[in-house]
Amino acid sequence: AQSVTQLGSHVSVSEGALVLLRCNYSSSVPPYLFWYVQYPNQGLQLLLKYTSAATLVKGINGFEAEFKKSETSFHLTKPSAHMSDAAEYFCAVSEGGAQDTGRRALTFGSGTRLQVQP
Amino acid sequence: DGGITQSPKYLFRKEGQNVTLSCEQNLNHDAMYWYRQDPGQGLRLIYYSQIVNDFQKGDIAEGYSVSREKKESFPLTVTSAQKNPTAFYLCASSMGPGEQFFGPGTRLTVL
């Protein structure tokens, strides 16, 4: 079974500072991993995805994440925070992963709310 | 424009009432999903369908029902058996095991 742990339900950074949102996963198969962003009362928008190609994945809005198999981690980073980055961020793992088995549903972490201080 | 639409955006339910949430996609995706979002709990899978005329229970299916008569439509009914239905409901679709595309959500409140 898959699971996702996001350390820190709330993270606060200053504008221009480094953003680091942590995600650790467990998976019985080679995983597909995702980061989504959610603004208040909206759906989820994909930031980036890891699907067993390059371990350093670049996404939209200057975000990137690195897949580290030995640490079972997929942390999200951005070198310089902007006020518009304030939102909730979800890490997710695809059930069945690269083997494409089972439900193909996503298992989500509980989310990290990012605040950006001026 | 291709995408997923959900309606209504806000829905209010009285005790003992069934309500239906609409989800439509024009992405030609085979698979569709319903998730429930509660504060601090992430998203949890209610039902999913990988092909027309077939659907399966997710992790929290009790008190919910779905149908999949058309590829582009996957409505969710919240029945009176669901004791705590107040939540944000998200519909998603995908083609294969990759990313899922999400609709804008429906916020359901019990009066």
Side-chain angles (χ1 to χ4, degrees), chain B residues 26-39:
Chain B
N26 61 4
L27 299 168
N28 200 33
H29 287 168
D30 287 324
M32 297 187 74
Y33 307 83
W34 275 105
Y35 294 92
R36 170 178 170 143
Q37 184 178 19
D38 295 282

Side-chain angles (χ1 to χ4, degrees), chain A:
Chain A
Q2 284 78 15
S3 68
V4 176
T5 302
Q6 291 184 239
L7 291 176
S9 59
H10 290 82
V11 170
S12 183
V13 301
S14 299
E15 191 173 20
L18 172 71
V19 175
L20 171 60
L21 304 182
R22 299 179 186 274
C23 173
N24 288 89
Y25 70 92
S26 67
S27 177
S28 56
V29 299
Y32 284 176
L33 294 159
F34 308 87
W35 275 100
Y36 284 87
V37 61
Q38 184 181 37
Y39 297 97
N41 289 312
Q42 295 186 25
L44 275 65
Q45 180 184 6
L46 182 71
L47 277 177
L48 48 79
K49 59 184 178 182
Y50 167 77
T51 55
S52 69
T55 57
L56 181 62
V57 180
K58 294 187 183 298
I60 62 172
N61 301 338
F63 285 94
E64 63 182 37
E66 186 173 9
F67 171 69
K68 292 187 177 180
K69 183 178 179 180
S70 61
E71 298 178 8
T72 62
S73 68
F74 191 57
H75 302 330
L76 181 71
T77 61
K78 182 175 180 178
S80 177
H82 192 272
M83 296 296 290
S84 61
D85 294 327
E88 188 151 24
Y89 293 79
F90 292 94
C91 182
V93 60
S94 178
E95 299 177 12
Q99 294 185 356
D100 190 18
T101 59
R103 308 188 303 184
R104 298 176 174 174
L106 297 179
T107 298
F108 286 87
S110 56
T112 297
R113 185 168 299 279
L114 176 66
Q115 288 184 308
V116 182
Q117 307 290 345

Side-chain angles (χ1 to χ4, degrees), chain B residues 17-58:
Chain B
Q17 191 178 43
N18 292 355
V19 292
T20 297
L21 284 60
S22 169
C23 177
E24 304 276 333
Q25 56 101 357
N26 61 4
L27 299 168
N28 200 33
H29 287 168
D30 287 324
M32 297 187 74
Y33 307 83
W34 275 105
Y35 294 92
R36 170 178 170 143
Q37 184 178 19
D38 295 282
Q41 294 191 42
L43 281 71
R44 294 179 290 169
L45 182 67
I46 305 173
Y47 266 97
Y48 66 102
S49 168
Q50 294 188 355
I51 196 168
V52 175
N53 293 322
D54 184 59
F55 50 83
Q56 304 295 330
K57 293 182 179 180

